[in-house]
Amino acid sequence: MDFIERTLAVFPALLGATPVVLQLALGAMALALSLGLLIALARISSFRVLRGIAVVYLEVMRGTPLLVQLVYIFFVLPSIGINIEPVLAGILGLGLNYAAYLSEVFRSAILSVESGQGEAALSLGYTPTKALWRIVLPQSFVVALGPIGNYFIAVVKDTALTSVIAVTEILKTANILNSQTFQTTEIYTAAALLYLIISLPLSRIVVLLERKARTRG
Amino acid sequence: MVDNIVIEVKDLHKTFVSEVKPSWWGRLRGHKKEITRVEVLKGVNLTVARGATVAIIGSSGSGKSTLLRCMNKLETLDGGRIFVNGHLIGYEERDGELVAEKASITAKKRTDLGMVFQHFNLFANKTALGNVMAPLRDVKKLSTQAAQDIAIPNLEKVGLGDKLHNYPSKLSGGQKQRVAIARALAMSPSVMLFDEPTSALDPELVGEVLAVIQQIALAGTTMVIVTHEMQFARDIADEIVVMDQGKIVEQGPPDVIFLNPQHAKTKALLSRSGMNPPA
């Protein structure tokens, strides 16, 4: 009983770090969604150079650890005169990394829309660009919604990595508390629970959004 | 003269090229890129007069669908020219050379041609009404109300006035194809192109689609139909075009073609479909 009480007592201190986590997750996701879509479009474009750039980006971001990328942005870039404050560096690192994964989600979602619909749009006088935006992409987003939701939950959890680049998010706050009180079990249990409390409603929202989008088809 | 001709195909050539590239390992072992060329159209000339119904028949691989797809530039051309209402489609001519024109210009020219596909190609996320309204709003820039005022009568014309709010997944193949026809018609094109419109349908659904096409033809719409339905072609067309191996081998009024075929391919085609000319 004492353990539960002591664990609950840690929560108020950790809760203060929640806004930063949401800021990191939302910022990173906004960046990842827009950049991911651009990379996906580049990958299916007819310009070879664009395709090449997209593939290199994907392989580099997917092939190096997110933790290393965060460290790189925060500790290496200053040596060439680029100083980015911690939270922004966290958003950039997470966003650039997740953009690679989301580009693959978008690419397969775009390819999953039968090419016949695009052809029909062209035959009706749509330009290729308009056919993509008005006919193909709206359907791709519905297909992509589930995976996007999963990545959103993943990015919420990966915000913990930014603790190494001086962002005072949940884990960092827990580390500080731990060094002061040595209530290791209580503090990290509370931290884990807090991540769970943030993630669970998100999973529900993803399921609901997906169901709503699919009833139309 | 030009006023009476909707589509003019001049010396059309089309070759499909497919490349199989070896992997880097294969390249090391000396494998070369394999290029396969299939000449699908070998110099086709055809004119479609205003108000005419032209049926193109021929066995699979004869190039008839490709010819139709070239007419609205869904395929690039390798030689020749296609004019729609006197306008060269897909290209502009500079010093006798053909240069690809801007996509937006081709898009505008395509509104002159309505196309109906073998696999319907309805927009899966839109209702029957939404499918017909989409291009009216997106391409013709009509208001929702104006688009609806055009879309609903067109859907009623194809007998789907009671299915306006059904999504494609809730329509039969025949109904889907009729929505596709309404969608193309609503743009009031000057010619309708049908690419094997009944080939993907269950036999019992073929009739309803053919009846709608016939009704449109009777209304005086210019149309080009690629079809395997010989009896239908004979009933509906003013002119039959027989294709074989990328060339037009015979063409003429249905009675001449069906009663007195000259070319061996035509004879074979007719006998295979049980339409033997009287001996």
Side-chain angles (χ1 to χ4, degrees):
Chain A
M1 265 330 199
D2 276 0
F3 171 73
I4 296 175
E5 267 172 32
R6 284 199 305 275
T7 305
L8 288 177
V10 180
F11 265 95
L14 293 181
L15 271 180
T18 316
V20 179
V21 168
L22 293 179
Q23 194 188 348
L24 283 166
L26 290 173
M29 207 55 188
L31 174 60
L33 283 171
S34 28
L35 185 59
L37 179 59
L38 282 180
I39 298 166
L41 293 178
R43 284 223 43 200
I44 55 175
S45 103
S46 48
F47 294 105
R48 230 173 137 166
V49 180
L50 277 182
R51 283 205 307 270
I53 294 172
V55 170
V56 169
Y57 184 88
L58 176 69
E59 296 301 345
V60 169
M61 296 315 267
R62 206 168 50 176
T64 53
L66 173 54
L67 188 53
V68 174
Q69 292 165 11
L70 286 168
V71 167
Y72 205 91
I73 290 173
F74 192 65
F75 293 111
V76 179
L77 291 189
S79 69
I80 55 164
I82 304 175
N83 288 292
I84 305 172
E85 57 103 9
V87 174
L88 192 58
I91 290 175
L92 264 180
L94 289 166
L96 294 177
N97 179 274
Y98 272 80
Y101 290 97
L102 285 180
S103 78
E104 283 294 271
V105 170
F106 281 128
R107 190 176 67 99
S108 63
I110 291 169
L111 295 181
S112 79
V113 178
E114 313 147 88
S115 64
Q117 293 188 40
E119 254 182 14
L122 292 183
S123 79
L124 288 159
Y126 286 71
T127 60
T129 318
K130 198 177 253 183
L132 181 72
W133 283 94
R134 293 287 169 80
I135 303 298
V136 178
L137 284 183
Q139 296 182 61
S140 309
F141 281 123
V142 176
V143 177
L145 213 51
I148 289 173
N150 285 332
Y151 278 114
F152 188 55
I153 295 165
V155 88
V156 166
K157 293 178 297 172
D158 275 350
T159 57
L161 293 172
T162 63
S163 62
V164 302
I165 57 165
V167 177
T168 345
E169 43 67 72
I170 297 173
L171 184 59
K172 179 84 172 175
T173 313
N175 288 341
I176 294 169
L177 279 178
N178 185 41
S179 64
Q180 292 163 348
T181 64
F182 299 106
Q183 290 186 317
T184 309
T185 318
E186 291 84 351
I187 289 169
Y188 290 112
T189 307
L193 282 175
L194 188 50
Y195 281 113
L196 192 62
I197 291 168
I198 300 173
S199 303
L200 282 181
L202 290 176
S203 314
R204 289 304 302 165
I205 293 172
V206 170
V207 172
L208 289 177
L209 277 178
E210 237 190 325
R211 196 175 296 160
K212 195 163 179 229
R214 290 216 189 274
T215 47
R216 299 211 306 157
Chain B
M1 266 306 277
V2 175
D3 280 343
N4 291 324
I5 294 172
V6 183
I7 297 181
E8 191 170 14
V9 178
K10 282 184 174 172
D11 195 29
L12 178 62
H13 288 263
K14 173 73 189 169
T15 303
F16 283 115
V17 182
S18 62
E19 287 184 5
V20 181
K21 285 185 184 165
S23 62
W24 63 271
W25 176 240
R27 264 202 307 275
L28 279 183
R29 293 192 297 169
H31 294 178
K32 292 244 167 62
K33 187 158 76 175
E34 271 179 53
I35 300 177
T36 328
R37 289 173 196 281
V38 182
E39 205 179 350
V40 197
L41 296 174
K42 305 169 185 168
V44 173
N45 292 287
L46 181 68
T47 52
V48 179
R50 197 167 301 281
T53 299
V54 176
I56 306 177
I57 61 176
S59 48
S60 300
S62 58
K64 53 194 193 308
S65 280
T66 308
L67 170 60
L68 200 71
R69 291 168 55 82
C70 284
M71 288 179 184
N72 64 0
K73 187 60 184 20
L74 286 178
E75 303 286 350
T76 51
L77 317 186
D78 294 319
R81 288 159 173 67
I82 295 176
F83 297 90
V84 177
N85 289 323
H87 302 290
L88 184 61
I89 190 158
Y91 301 88
E92 48 187 327
E93 204 159 352
R94 279 190 213 147
D95 309 325
E97 294 279 308
L98 291 189
V99 186
E101 68 187 358
K102 273 169 63 181
S104 58
I105 297 175
T106 306
K108 202 168 190 106
K109 288 178 184 169
R110 282 197 184 113
T111 56
D112 261 0
L113 306 122
M115 182 145 184
V116 174
F117 299 84
Q118 183 177 355
H119 295 286
F120 330 128
N121 298 355
L122 292 186
F123 306 140
N125 61 338
K126 294 183 194 299
T127 60
L129 183 58
N131 263 276
V132 183
M133 283 173 64
L136 292 169
R137 295 181 55 189
D138 294 343
V139 178
K140 291 214 162 168
K141 310 280 185 206
L142 297 183
S143 68
T144 306
Q145 189 58 51
Q148 201 167 323
D149 290 346
I150 294 175
I152 294 177
N154 272 290
L155 280 161
E156 283 168 350
K157 201 193 297 181
V158 298
L160 291 173
D162 56 338
K163 304 280 183 198
L164 298 181
H165 303 293
N166 286 37
Y167 282 94
S169 55
K170 298 279 186 294
L171 294 172
S172 73
Q175 290 167 339
K176 282 187 216 177
Q177 196 58 299
R178 286 186 281 151
V179 173
I181 293 171
R183 182 175 66 178
L185 271 183
M187 297 292 283
S188 36
S190 49
V191 54
M192 288 284 286
L193 310 175
F194 293 87
D195 188 7
E196 304 192 23
T198 58
S199 298
L201 295 175
D202 291 338
E204 71 268 24
L205 300 176
V206 169
E208 62 187 68
V209 172
L210 293 185
V212 166
I213 298 175
Q214 190 145 27
Q215 168 200 329
I216 299 164
L218 290 176
T221 313
T222 311
M223 43 208 243
V224 183
I225 308 175
V226 166
T227 185
H228 288 292
E229 301 277 339
M230 296 298 168
Q231 187 59 51
F232 175 68
R234 183 175 180 176
D235 292 345
I236 195 178
D238 306 309
E239 187 168 9
I240 304 280
V241 172
V242 185
M243 287 192 69
D244 181 52
Q245 294 183 6
K247 284 184 176 155
I248 293 177
V249 291
E250 193 166 359
Q251 77 188 96
D255 283 346
V256 175
I257 301 283
F258 282 91
L259 295 176
N260 191 15
Q262 299 300 311
H263 198 277
K265 272 288 166 186
T266 315
K267 289 176 187 165
L269 206 60
L270 295 185
S271 78
R272 258 209 314 275
S273 54
M275 296 197 48
N276 280 324

